[in-house]
């Protein structure tokens, strides 16, 4: 009867541990033809005059880049005048595009139709990295040599972006940035102070982009460590069940259970908190409902939570519940082991006195 009760307790622990591990599977969606359970989705918008001018400038630059790619002979359809139609050019910053983002990949949708899904290992959920990768993928579609492997050009664009971002940050953090702005823009004191202010704002923008890159790489690393710890915890639970079924008494088993569930909960808390902070930071760039405030605010993105985030919340709640459950089971197992050892040490007549 006692063995049966222990087996029931172990089955409950095993099912919960297996469930929380399986709930990591949605994090690997948005990478191919399978369903995309995204953490969040976003689209580029421009409701204020500042953001509209900024987005229009980028669109014109991407249009010029598309024409340049076509005219340089990258496209195999140079004789077809339809290749110059605007809908066939790079449309990364079009408001109709919706990017569904997850830890290891993202999908691009337009008018409700999924255009493609791709891995995004190097950037995680970095919005800027995703936009740069999309530019590279679309340029690859215009290229005759890259139409069968657009991901290669997308990876190259992201690598170039990261290298350029790091170089710009090092350049602007030194004295070269201010010296160059004074030399190129103006030597007048008033104009020089204005140029310094512009350089400072530009430097803050570069620092913000660099922070997004580093923060997302850190979150991606923690997510991988969390997944590995979750698998290790399930392995410890399986070993615990084997030990119970065979009547083996190992002191290390309850210790491993406590360590793995504590490490898992700590890593899950870091990931969960970091994801929320990142989401709130992106929400700060969303248009305000107040038209007066929105007209002067830097609103450039519309963002919504996805089903992957909801699944992550459920997984995190299960992992928190596992902490007291695993500790109680480990404590009970240790107590039983101690009682068994004491019973073996006691003299034969000692137990009869209690009977």
């Amino acid at each position: 009867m006692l063995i049966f009760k222990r087996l029931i307790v172990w089955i409950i622990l095993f099912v919960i541990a297996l469930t929380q591990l399986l709930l990591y599977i949605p994090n690997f969606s948005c990478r191919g033809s399978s369903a995309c359970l995204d953490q969040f989705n976003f689209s580029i918008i421009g409701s204020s005059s500042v953001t509209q001018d900024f987005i229009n400038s980028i669109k014109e630059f991407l249009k010029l880049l598309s024409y340049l790619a076509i005219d340089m002979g990258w496209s195999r359809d140079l004789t077809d005048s339809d290749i110059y139609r605007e809908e066939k050019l790079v449309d990364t910053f079009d408001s109709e595009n919706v990017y569904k983002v997850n830890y290891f990949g993202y999908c691009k949708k337009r008018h409700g139709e999924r255009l493609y899904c791709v891995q995004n290992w190097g950037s995680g959920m970095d919005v800027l990295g995703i936009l740069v990768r999309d530019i590279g993928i679309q340029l690859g579609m215009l290229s005759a040599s890259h139409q069968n492997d657009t991901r290669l050009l997308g990876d190259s664009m992201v690598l170039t972006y990261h290298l350029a971002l790091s170089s710009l940050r090092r350049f602007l953090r030194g004295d070269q940035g201010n010296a160059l702005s004074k030399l190129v823009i103006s030597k007048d004191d008033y104009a020089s102070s204005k140029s310094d202010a512009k350089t400072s704002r530009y430097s803050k923008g570069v620092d913000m982009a660099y922070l997004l890159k580093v923060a997302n790489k850190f979150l991606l690393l923690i997510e991988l460590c969390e997944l590995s710890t979750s698998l290790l915890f399930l392995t410890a639970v399986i070993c615990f069940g084997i030990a119970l079924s065979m009547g083996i008494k190992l002191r290390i088993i309850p210790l491993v259970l406590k360590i793995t569930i504590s490490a898992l909960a700590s890593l899950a808390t870091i990931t969960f908190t970091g994801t929320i902070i990142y989401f709130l930071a992106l929400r700060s760039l969303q248009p305000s409902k107040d038209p007066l405030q929105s007209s002067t605010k830097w609103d450039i993105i519309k963002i919504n939570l996805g089903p992957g985030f909801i699944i992550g919340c459920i997984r995190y709640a299960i992992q928190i519940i596992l902490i007291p459950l695993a500790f109680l089971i480990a404590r009970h197992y240790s107590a039983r082991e101690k009682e068994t050892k004491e019973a073996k040490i006691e003299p034969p007549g000692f137990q009869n006195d209690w009977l």
Side-chain angles (χ1 to χ4, degrees), residues 1 23 49 89 109 163 174 194 213 217 227 230 309 322:
M1 187 67 180
L23 288 178
S49 58
L89 305 179
K109 296 181 67 176
L163 292 175
K194 290 181 64 178
K213 183 193 78 168
K217 283 191 174 182
L227 177 61
S230 176
F309 179 80
L322 272 173

Side-chain angles (χ1 to χ4, degrees), residues 148-209:
N148 295 327
D149 192 11
T150 56
R151 189 178 64 181
L152 178 63
L153 191 53
D155 292 339
S156 299
M157 289 288 291
V158 173
L159 177 61
T160 304
Y161 162 69
H162 286 165
L163 292 175
L165 189 61
S166 300
S167 300
L168 273 175
R169 183 171 177 270
R170 287 195 300 267
F171 181 80
L172 292 172
R173 286 174 68 89
D175 295 332
Q176 298 94 332
N178 291 333
L180 182 63
S181 65
K182 292 178 181 179
L183 179 64
V184 174
I185 299 176
S186 177
K187 294 183 179 180
D188 181 73
D189 292 339
Y190 175 72
S192 179
S193 61
K194 290 181 64 178
S195 66
D196 288 343
K198 291 180 180 179
T199 304
S200 177
R201 289 195 296 268
Y202 183 72
S203 179
K204 289 180 180 179
V206 172
D207 286 339
M208 181 63 68

Side-chain angles (χ1 to χ4, degrees), residues 1-13 240-241 244-247 332 336:
M1 187 67 180
L2 180 60
I3 296 178
F4 180 73
K5 290 181 178 180
R6 290 181 178 180
L7 182 62
I8 293 297
V9 172
W10 176 82
I11 290 177
I12 295 174
L13 180 63
F240 176 66
L244 283 179
S245 61
M246 298 181 64
H332 181 73
R336 288 289 182 181

Side-chain angles (χ1 to χ4, degrees), residues 12 74-75 178 201 210 217 234 240 265 291 305 338 351:
I12 295 174
W74 287 9
S75 176
N178 291 333
R201 289 195 296 268
Y210 183 81
K217 283 191 174 182
L234 179 62
F240 176 66
L305 288 173
K338 185 177 180 181
Q351 292 183 0

Side-chain angles (χ1 to χ4, degrees), residues 23-24 27 39-40 102-104 124-125 215-230 262-280 305 308-309 311-313 315-317 319-320:
L23 288 178
Y24 281 98
N27 289 354
Q39 294 291 321
F40 64 89
N102 218 323
Y103 286 103
F104 303 101
M125 298 188 296
N216 277 281
K217 283 191 174 182
F218 176 75
L219 273 178
L220 191 62
L221 177 62
I222 296 297
E223 179 69 17
L224 291 173
C225 293
E226 180 185 337
L227 177 61
S228 302
T229 308
S230 176
S262 299
L264 177 59
S266 300
L267 292 171
T269 300
I270 295 174
T271 306
F272 184 69
T273 305
T275 303
I276 292 179
I277 293 175
Y278 182 56
F279 175 74
L280 293 176
L305 288 173
F309 179 80
I311 294 175
C313 293
R315 183 184 67 243
Y316 180 66
Q319 290 166 343
I320 295 299

Side-chain angles (χ1 to χ4, degrees), residues 93-105:
F93 285 79
D94 196 297
S95 59
E96 298 296 330
N97 296 326
V98 177
Y99 298 91
K100 301 171 73 67
V101 185
N102 218 323
Y103 286 103
F104 303 101

